[in-house]
Amino acid sequence: MMMVNKPLVLTYLYLLIYVLLSSGVILYNKWVLSPKYFNFPLPITLTMIHMGFSGAVAFFLIRVFKVVSPVKMTLEIYITCVVPISAFFAASLWFGNTAYLYISVAFIQMLKALMPVATFIMAVMCGTDKARCDVFSNMLLVSVGVVISSYGEIHFNGVGTLYQVTGIFAEALRLVLTQVLLQKKGLTLNPITSLYYIAPCSFVFLCAPWYVLEKPGMEVSQIQFNFWIFFSNALCALALNFSIFLVIGRTGAVTIRVAGVLKDWILIALSTVIFPESTITGLNIIGYAIALCGVVMYNYLKVKDVRASQLPESIPDRMTKDWKLEKKSSDIFTPNNSNDNSGGGGGGNMNSSSDTNVDEEAPLISSRLSHVGRTQLGK
């Protein structure tokens, strides 16, 4: 009788849940926002509903049910780190959801192949990555593929494409800022604490564009509001965020990237069935396939870099390091005061290393803030 590998089965189950929730949230958002279906063409309002719901759930989980403890968040860290990250998080969700009003789900997924390009550009600009010829050639391949796919789009809309690309670059900058600001300080937020600190701040940032762009229209037109539709929509987005947390804990970034690519293909296929207006051409597929080749090569380079940085030291180097550490420890004893660090404690994890690896492909994996991030609204 064959023995069932329960951990492996559980891992695949989590991956399946992630793919289903991610695809479901994206299709659900499209259905809610599209004028042809539920007809709630107010993306900022929908984003604010998600942020408000997520922030409230996180508050109850932390303050009432005490599932996790809040981190020791200082005012300085909140203003210099959480506020700018929340601003770009809100922008990425706003622009990404607005794109649903103009372009199809299938084309949006194809445009999301640009995420590694946007992240690489932002990382180089912020000094967290170096310009390399091999990576640049991959980015060029991805860009060419997206251009071909766009050229083959029958219902191409410049406004919708601009919204989506702007959202991608906002999300890329948010990911880089997460690495530069939070992780450089050694502060790590899990999905619950991320929502607790970032969702309310993002909600506030969305108030200004909502007041200018959507509030006047809500006053003069009859907007249908179904409580159960919006409650289930926000609940699915929240569940997606937690599912990514579970998957990352059991597998890793590479596995989720592969699952994300599979999800994108499933989404493209499903969207053409659920939304008949989402017509796919041969040029769309060819362009997207070219872009994915660039993405796969990019992922391979990143994994190769990580493995190279983790190669075991040679015996002479290790002996030299051990001797230096032994000599240093014999010179002076320094007590460990890590518990007094204002950046950590509770649900936060203080990490002395500034080289913490951040997922650089948000649509396929969300950083823990991220998939706070993206995930929240199933971009």
Side-chain angles (χ1 to χ4, degrees), residues 23 31 65 78 95 153 160 302 372:
S23 303
W31 183 82
F65 300 105
Y78 190 85
F95 293 126
E153 176 66 16
K302 301 305 293 184
V372 166

Side-chain angles (χ1 to χ4, degrees), residues 51-299:
M51 291 295 95
F53 179 79
S54 299
V57 170
F59 176 84
F60 277 100
L61 291 177
I62 291 177
R63 294 298 182 182
V64 179
F65 300 105
K66 301 187 184 303
V67 175
V68 296
S69 301
V71 302
K72 294 180 180 178
M73 180 70 68
T74 65
L75 181 62
E76 184 266 338
I77 292 178
Y78 190 85
I79 293 177
T80 60
C81 299
V82 175
V83 170
I85 289 172
S86 299
F88 286 104
F89 180 35
S92 68
L93 298 176
W94 166 20
F95 293 126
N97 283 313
T98 303
Y100 287 124
L101 298 176
Y102 301 94
I103 54 181
S104 68
V105 171
F107 187 47
I108 285 176
Q109 295 308 120
M110 294 176 188
L111 289 175
K112 283 181 181 178
L114 284 173
M115 178 56 71
V117 179
T119 306
F120 176 68
I121 292 174
M122 293 301 175
V124 171
M125 291 176 61
C126 294
T128 62
D129 204 346
K130 295 180 180 179
R132 295 163 45 186
C133 291
D134 53 353
V135 176
F136 178 78
S137 62
N138 289 338
M139 299 301 96
L140 186 61
L141 183 63
V142 172
S143 301
V144 169
V146 172
V147 170
I148 293 174
S149 182
S150 301
Y151 184 77
E153 176 66 16
I154 294 178
H155 305 292
F156 180 83
N157 184 288
V159 174
T161 302
L162 181 61
Y163 269 118
Q164 182 60 38
V165 173
T166 304
I168 288 172
F169 274 88
E171 173 67 5
L173 185 54
R174 184 196 63 74
L175 281 177
V176 174
L177 286 179
T178 299
Q179 183 180 14
V180 172
L181 300 178
L182 278 184
Q183 295 183 352
K184 289 293 185 181
K185 292 180 181 293
L187 183 63
T188 302
L189 302 179
N190 63 43
I192 299 177
T193 52
S194 295
L195 294 175
Y196 179 74
Y197 292 109
I198 292 181
C201 190
S202 296
F203 182 93
V204 173
F205 273 111
L206 290 167
C207 287
W210 174 81
Y211 186 83
V212 174
L213 299 176
E214 293 188 358
K215 184 176 180 296
M218 294 177 70
E219 292 177 342
V220 299
S221 61
Q222 295 296 322
I223 302 297
Q224 59 174 328
F225 189 92
N226 185 308
F227 172 80
W228 293 109
I229 291 291
F230 290 99
F231 175 75
S232 60
N233 182 256
L235 191 62
C236 288
L238 186 65
L240 173 59
N241 186 59
F242 291 145
S243 74
I244 291 178
F245 174 65
L246 292 174
V247 171
I248 290 176
R250 295 194 66 89
T251 57
V254 176
T255 303
I256 299 183
R257 282 190 170 111
V258 174
V261 172
L262 175 63
K263 178 210 70 178
D264 289 343
W265 282 111
I266 292 174
L267 260 176
I268 291 173
L270 280 178
S271 65
T272 59
V273 175
I274 299 175
F275 307 111
E277 69 275 10
S278 300
T279 306
I280 298 179
T281 66
L283 208 53
N284 279 145
I285 298 299
I286 293 173
Y288 187 54
I290 293 174
L292 278 186
C293 288
V295 172
V296 170
M297 293 170 63
Y298 169 78
N299 288 339

